[in-house]
Amino acid sequence: MKMNGAQALLESLKSEGVDLVFGYPGGVVLKLYDEIYKMKFPNILTGHEQGAVHAADGYARATGKIGVVIATSGPGAANLITGIATANMDSVPLVCITGQVASHAIGKDSFQEVDVCGITAPITKHNYLVKDVAELPRVVKEAFYIARTGRPAPVCIDIAANVFNTEIDYEYPAEINLRGYTDKNIGDENSIDAVIQAVENSARPMIFIGGGVVISETANVLREILNKLDCPCTTTLMGLGCIEPERNGYLGFAGMHGSYGANMAIQNCDLLICIGMRFSDRVTGRVADFAPNAKIVHFEIDAAEVNKNVQVDYKVLGDLKWSLPIFRDKLNASKINFAEKFDAWKNQAVEVGNEHPFSYKTNGDVIKPGALITKISDLCDENTIAVTDVGQHQMWAAQFFKAKAPRQFLTSGGLGTMGFGLPAAMGAKLACPNKKVVLFTGDGSIMMNIQELATIADHDIDVKIVIVHNFILGMVGQWQRLFYSHHYSASELNLKRDFIKIAEAMGVRGYRLTKAEELETKLPEILNSSGAAVIDVYVPQDENVIPMVPGGKRLDQMVLS
């Protein structure tokens, strides 16, 4: 079939099941956007390319499908970098399509030329520069295959402008064969046998769940494993939702602002079974003293992560889709009654956690962040997706919002990207139109991509945007209070910022809550109303996220008040 490169690209996207792209047109991609117009290919025009890539990221996190973003050459492509790095750190599959100057102009500092492949190489799983239209279908096929298989990640396709106009006898490849790369991530079953032996010899085991369980869609298998072992368990920030929050033995998430119970149990267990996590510094505290009494097991798909941060005693390399069902079956075959064996240890861990639960102190009619998020959590069901920006509100949301299922709590974990939340929530809602989407953001983070309020209004995207408004860059201010003698250097925010007026100017309804009673009298109606809304909630400036493990301290050296 004869078609030009732009048509071939869109037909290739259709073949990969892409039903929506996020993008921003510009000079070298005008031919592509002309074909988007002719083919009526669904494209969401965002207010900024960074908004587009975060929206594609939110779409991918909410569904497990590949998010697709399009940007023009030069500044358009460069504006994707923060979003690509965000997705890469959290193993989110994206295909990022960027325009490039014409083939003959590459390398000549032409107008709006940047070396996209050079810039994105450290933050993508792979990238391509396409100068020959004949290569385009194969490259698209490979890009989607690479992005979604193994450990998911972004792939960038940089396409020279002339490729979009050149004709091709189009045929989409039925198969691909990448030398040295395979999606068969199956390891050595003997490594699982060694873990079974370690579990049987253990007196105080603990399971630690990371985002890999979400990515691999193995939460149900994991819950069966927990039912069999009935031991204490915790998650990373990225693993929230994999364990039912009401499960007896679930201690909340762990790490710098994790629960007292989870952190103490990590330090006191004798076997720590870590599944699909990468031992981030925010999780481990001082690495030399992380889980000092435990043998450590690591179930992991990426060999580069094993022994990178924490030395482990047992490794199970391979896709969790392969390893966890085998682990479950071998546990079920054991003659040991694990639930009975570990019952006293589980109860002890729960009792310790109950000494210092996530909590907040009421103060008259002042709205406390914990009370706000607890109320919203109570008003939401399992058909809700919570999205966060980055900062104090992110940690409060992790502490008080009860994520009941995987892909119900979307946040920038590894890179910690302010400005992620609003476009990611937009992408999540477009991906899951039948689910309620609630964004928790701060008066600092919301400003990073606030232009996407206009996108939300333009496309009638029903997202409830909760601004935890404390008139300061919250986490920066907390550190300045605790470690820099209350020197609020460049962190206090002007009282004149009126997010209600900004929202309404962009076509979104705005509400302000300033009194605790309004969590009962106003908030439920706003959350249950149809259409997008900004809910600007005033909270105290000096409220800290507690517990907190200061930098360089052990997990059991938490600041508790």
Side-chain angles (χ1 to χ4, degrees):
M1 187 186 301
K2 282 279 188 184
M3 60 179 67
N4 61 44
Q7 293 168 327
L9 174 59
L10 296 177
E11 287 296 335
S12 298
L13 294 181
K14 284 184 178 180
S15 295
E16 291 295 334
V18 176
D19 54 11
L20 179 68
V21 299
F22 301 86
Y24 206 103
V28 304
V29 293
L30 284 180
K31 179 60 177 175
L32 175 59
Y33 269 88
D34 190 51
E35 297 299 342
I36 286 174
Y37 177 86
K38 292 175 183 176
M39 294 172 65
K40 295 181 170 56
F41 198 98
N43 174 86
I44 298 294
L45 172 64
T46 57
H48 192 286
E49 289 92 353
Q50 188 181 132
V53 67
H54 287 323
D57 183 322
Y59 178 99
R61 292 185 199 234
T63 61
K65 296 167 64 176
I66 295 175
V68 180
V69 60
I70 298 173
T72 193
S73 66
N79 282 340
L80 299 182
I81 299 306
T82 298
I84 295 173
T86 299
N88 189 60
M89 284 285 277
D90 290 341
S91 302
V92 177
L94 299 181
V95 169
C96 306
I97 298 165
T98 55
Q100 183 54 274
V101 298
S103 298
H104 70 271
I106 292 174
K108 299 181 179 180
D109 289 334
S110 302
F111 178 66
Q112 291 194 329
E113 179 190 4
V114 297
D115 179 5
V116 173
C117 286
I119 293 171
T120 61
I123 55 171
T124 54
K125 192 173 178 181
H126 195 57
N127 59 27
Y128 297 88
L129 172 58
V130 181
K131 296 189 286 185
D132 181 353
V133 69
E135 297 180 352
L136 188 57
R138 172 187 60 81
V139 165
V140 174
K141 181 81 171 180
E142 290 180 4
F144 276 81
Y145 177 72
I146 292 168
R148 69 171 160 254
T149 56
R151 182 179 182 176
V155 176
C156 185
I157 308 174
D158 195 33
I159 305 173
N162 52 287
V163 169
F164 293 121
N165 293 284
T166 307
E167 283 205 334
I168 184 179
D169 288 319
Y170 175 76
E171 182 179 359
Y172 199 60
E175 298 178 354
I176 56 174
N177 183 21
L178 290 172
R179 184 176 179 182
Y181 183 84
T182 176
D183 60 353
K184 304 295 189 294
N185 291 285
I186 296 175
D188 181 3
E189 190 171 325
N190 290 329
S191 64
I192 301 175
D193 290 330
V195 176
I196 295 294
Q197 188 66 52
V199 173
E200 291 180 341
N201 293 337
S202 170
R204 301 186 310 280
M206 183 174 186
I207 292 185
F208 201 164
I209 296 99
V213 174
V214 178
I215 294 165
S216 61
E217 308 282 359
T218 53
N220 287 338
V221 179
L222 173 72
R223 292 181 182 191
E224 292 174 2
I225 291 169
L226 286 169
N227 289 340
K228 177 65 176 178
L229 290 178
D230 201 23
C231 64
C233 53
T234 184
T235 72
T236 66
L237 185 68
M238 304 305 297
L240 285 169
C242 290
I243 304 175
E244 313 95 305
E246 67 277 4
R247 173 183 284 273
N248 184 23
Y250 175 52
L251 304 173
F253 79 106
M256 177 175 281
H257 294 291
S259 77
Y260 179 81
N263 287 351
M264 293 301 292
I266 289 169
Q267 296 300 87
N268 291 315
C269 69
D270 67 1
L271 183 68
L272 188 61
I273 304 169
C274 303
I275 304 174
M277 56 171 286
R278 59 186 182 84
F279 299 99
S280 158
D281 57 292
R282 291 297 171 107
V283 160
T284 62
R286 189 161 67 213
V287 173
D289 296 311
F290 174 73
N293 303 305
K295 298 286 187 181
I296 298 178
V297 178
H298 196 184
F299 283 78
E300 175 60 43
I301 195 171
D302 187 352
E305 290 295 344
V306 178
N307 295 325
K308 184 174 80 174
N309 295 328
V310 170
Q311 295 297 307
V312 303
D313 301 280
Y314 305 90
K315 65 179 179 181
V316 180
L317 277 174
D319 194 327
L320 296 180
K321 287 190 182 76
W322 162 77
S323 61
L324 288 188
I326 296 174
F327 184 45
R328 173 201 59 199
D329 294 344
K330 289 180 180 291
L331 285 173
N332 288 336
S334 175
K335 296 179 181 179
I336 295 177
N337 185 331
F338 293 114
E340 183 178 284
K341 182 180 180 183
F342 302 140
D343 187 59
W345 155 240
K346 180 190 71 175
N347 291 336
Q348 177 191 340
V350 170
E351 288 174 10
V352 170
N354 289 339
E355 294 173 8
H356 299 284
F358 292 136
S359 62
Y360 52 88
K361 294 180 180 178
T362 57
N363 181 13
D365 213 18
V366 173
I367 299 176
K368 290 299 187 82
L372 168 67
I373 295 167
T374 297
K375 182 62 178 179
I376 292 173
S377 182
D378 291 343
L379 291 169
C380 294
D381 58 20
E382 65 279 354
N383 205 36
T384 301
I385 298 173
V387 186
T388 84
D389 255 304
V390 170
Q392 282 185 312
H393 66 271
Q394 177 190 30
M395 295 296 103
W396 283 316
Q399 291 179 348
F400 295 104
F401 187 88
K402 304 303 181 186
K404 300 175 178 65
R407 304 193 185 280
Q408 195 182 6
F409 189 88
L410 313 183
T411 193
S412 170
L415 200 65
T417 303
M418 292 177 68
F420 165 85
L422 183 58
M426 182 172 73
K429 182 62 179 181
L430 288 166
C432 306
N434 295 323
K435 294 188 176 183
K436 180 189 289 289
V437 176
V438 178
L439 168 66
F440 297 105
T441 185
D443 45 330
S445 283
I446 189 65
M447 292 296 292
M448 294 282 188
N449 275 307
I450 201 167
Q451 75 283 339
E452 302 310 332
L453 286 176
T455 309
I456 284 172
D458 289 347
H459 296 276
D460 193 22
I461 303 170
D462 184 354
V463 175
K464 300 302 187 289
I465 300 148
V466 181
I467 302 175
V468 183
H469 194 158
N470 55 3
F471 306 97
I472 195 167
L473 300 178
M475 195 58 80
V476 172
Q478 176 166 330
W479 280 68
Q480 289 171 333
R481 273 193 299 279
L482 296 177
F483 308 115
Y484 294 93
S485 304
H486 290 75
H487 296 164
Y488 294 127
S489 177
S491 60
E492 292 183 292
L493 302 177
N494 198 310
L495 297 178
K496 295 179 181 178
R497 296 186 182 191
D498 191 333
F499 293 111
I500 306 304
K501 289 182 179 179
I502 294 172
E504 291 175 348
M506 293 194 187
V508 177
R509 292 174 296 131
Y511 304 88
R512 180 171 291 116
L513 306 182
T514 61
K515 298 178 180 180
E517 65 181 30
E518 293 173 327
L519 300 184
E520 303 293 336
T521 60
K522 292 184 178 181
L523 181 61
E525 182 180 353
I526 299 169
L527 278 182
N528 291 323
S529 64
S530 61
V534 167
I535 310 168
D536 188 24
V537 186
Y538 285 10
V539 302
Q541 185 183 95
D542 59 355
E543 191 84 0
N544 290 327
V545 180
I546 298 297
M548 177 182 182
V549 180
K553 298 294 185 180
R554 302 188 311 265
L555 284 183
D556 57 354
Q557 293 177 311
M558 289 164 274
V559 176
L560 297 173
S561 63

